[in-house]
Amino acid sequence: MANTTSPYDPIFYAQEGLIQLEKALGMAGRVHRGYDKNPQTRGSVIQISQPGTFTAQDAPSSAQDLNPTSLQITLNQWKEVKFALTDKELAYTGQQIVDDHIRPAAYALADKIDQALAALYKLVPYYESATIGSVATSDLINARKVLFNNRAPVEDVANMHGMVDGNFEAELLALAAFTQYNTGGDRATESLMRGAIGNGPRFGINWFANQNTPTHTSGTAADAAGAVNNGAGYAAGTTTINIDGVTAAGTVKEGDILVVTGHNTQYAITADFTASSGAITGLTISPGLEAAVVDDQVVTIVFGAGSGGSSKGQQLVFHRNAFALAMAPLPTLARELGARVESVVDPRTGLALRARMFYVGDTSKVYVALDVLYGVKLLDPKLACRILYL
């Protein structure tokens, strides 16, 4: 028997919610997405497809394996919006219920997903700096240069994105490249009329303003230049090291950056630490060291918001394949307890959403809940660059 889709069936709410969810995605609409078609619960680890890479070889050559073709991602975030409909509201048209309740509920879920993705900035160790009040086109070009030097596919302009906060956007709108016709063409005219920057690429990047662009609070240390503190040094791949030579009682925060002299790779600091007598023991970094280091090899801490414990915006320039969002449908077992439950999945976008409806007699209300299960992951730090707005 086919499912009905009247305005009072959970599948109707689920389908409408999924449409609204897709419309409301910000950063989430610009990253790699995958899904698992089987119902899952929070904490499940699933496999999603991973963008592949190939190497051109002299012909004739052997076929290259599609490896790796998948990656593991943990669905550790389960978010819900629940609301109650009175008898009077149930008499409304389906469209009014969608406008008044389903749309804002789906928007709230999309907002949470977007915040989770934006928080991955802490694992991005590559950066360019811009001065508050003096943002220039060179700052944007230099951010793209960082990705170019990291061998990101910068010519894939459709998948190159730049996420900025309101303050940074305001400075961009003051640049000729964004609002003057003789330098920005028709796109500049549109930006001038709309007061927004999201209308096509500039310098090979599709810029968009996002209210979820994160801020970062840095550690505090007057002397941020230190050295490896281990007589035997550390092997390549190590993710925990000791350093010394920094300010006594200086602090570093998760999301600050470590630069090792002689390394092309930069490293994100993954937890908060306080120096004791100028030494930090057990400093954790990501990714692991690209090459072995020796005792006293010079390292430098880069504070994502400047030294002094201040909070500053972290603009992000990235290729789509830098980050991943994975979702899966939630179970419908509550049907056996009398609830009306439907989960829907869009295989094109990888989005999944569940709707539940149940009646509570003592309040004479029908409760509707929309919920999503998802996980986010940094796929490749070299495909992203932070613009430190200092």
Side-chain angles (χ1 to χ4, degrees), residues 219-227 243-248 250-252 256-260 269 278 280 283 298-304 306-308:
T220 304
D223 183 1
I243 65 173
D244 61 6
V246 297
T247 299
T251 62
V252 296
D256 285 337
I257 297 166
L258 186 73
V259 176
V260 178
I269 296 171
I280 298 178
L283 182 72
V298 175
V299 300
T300 303
I301 299 168
V302 177
F303 295 102
S307 179

Side-chain angles (χ1 to χ4, degrees), residues 292-347:
V293 296
V294 299
D295 189 35
D296 290 333
Q297 189 162 337
V298 175
V299 300
T300 303
I301 299 168
V302 177
F303 295 102
S307 179
S310 57
S311 181
K312 301 287 177 58
Q314 307 290 290
Q315 328 303 313
L316 269 178
V317 179
F318 59 94
H319 184 272
R320 174 180 181 270
N321 293 340
F323 307 100
L325 164 68
M327 304 187 77
L330 283 154
T332 57
L333 296 176
R335 290 173 180 168
E336 299 176 9
L337 301 176
R340 302 173 67 186
V341 186
E342 293 290 347
S343 282
V344 294
V345 179
D346 181 354

Side-chain angles (χ1 to χ4, degrees), residues 259-283:
V259 176
V260 178
T261 298
H263 285 202
N264 293 320
T265 299
Q266 295 176 354
Y267 307 96
I269 296 171
T270 59
D272 297 351
F273 294 90
T274 299
S276 176
S277 300
I280 298 178
T281 302
L283 182 72

Side-chain angles (χ1 to χ4, degrees), residues 140-161 201-206 317-321 382-385:
L140 315 182
I141 295 168
N142 287 338
R144 183 184 181 278
K145 180 181 71 174
V146 170
L147 295 182
F148 182 92
N149 290 341
N150 279 340
R151 300 188 181 277
V154 294
E155 298 302 324
D156 183 14
V157 175
N159 288 315
M160 292 289 297
H161 303 285
R202 289 176 174 83
F203 308 109
I205 297 168
N206 297 283
V317 179
F318 59 94
H319 184 272
R320 174 180 181 270
N321 293 340
K382 290 190 174 183
L383 299 185
C385 174

